[in-house]
Amino acid sequence: MPKATARHILVENEEECLKLKKEIEEGADFGIIAQEHSKCPSGRSGGELGEFSQGQMVPEFDKVVFSGELNKVLGPVETQFGYHLIEVTDRSD
């Protein structure tokens, strides 16, 4: 079963998501942005989700985590919870 390690930032709308993505791409620290803006409890720990298996997250999130480029800010990804920026830090088959 494939596994991945990732962190994310969850916000309420796509506009905010795109703004934060631009800040990170311009050099802002992902973890600090997560602490300041993420609506998910994981934001307190810089958005860290730890390791999880394929199929544990909602389908839209799962698809990006298990197909997207490593160590790159991916998104916005819309789910039932809002809009996510995702950074996959490790993945194994």
Side-chain angles (χ1 to χ4, degrees), residues 12-62:
E12 292 177 8
N13 61 63
E14 187 174 17
E15 183 182 339
E16 184 178 6
C17 205
L18 289 167
K19 178 179 152 290
L20 296 176
K21 182 175 184 177
K22 185 172 190 277
E23 287 180 27
I24 294 165
E25 288 173 342
E26 291 175 350
D29 183 272
F30 190 103
I32 292 171
I33 296 291
Q35 288 173 346
E36 294 174 351
H37 298 278
S38 186
K39 307 291 185 226
C40 180
S42 70
R44 289 192 292 275
S45 58
E48 295 288 343
L49 296 170
E51 184 180 76
F52 52 91
S53 298
Q54 190 168 14
Q56 278 189 271
M57 301 294 184
V58 293
E60 304 89 344
F61 194 96
D62 212 55

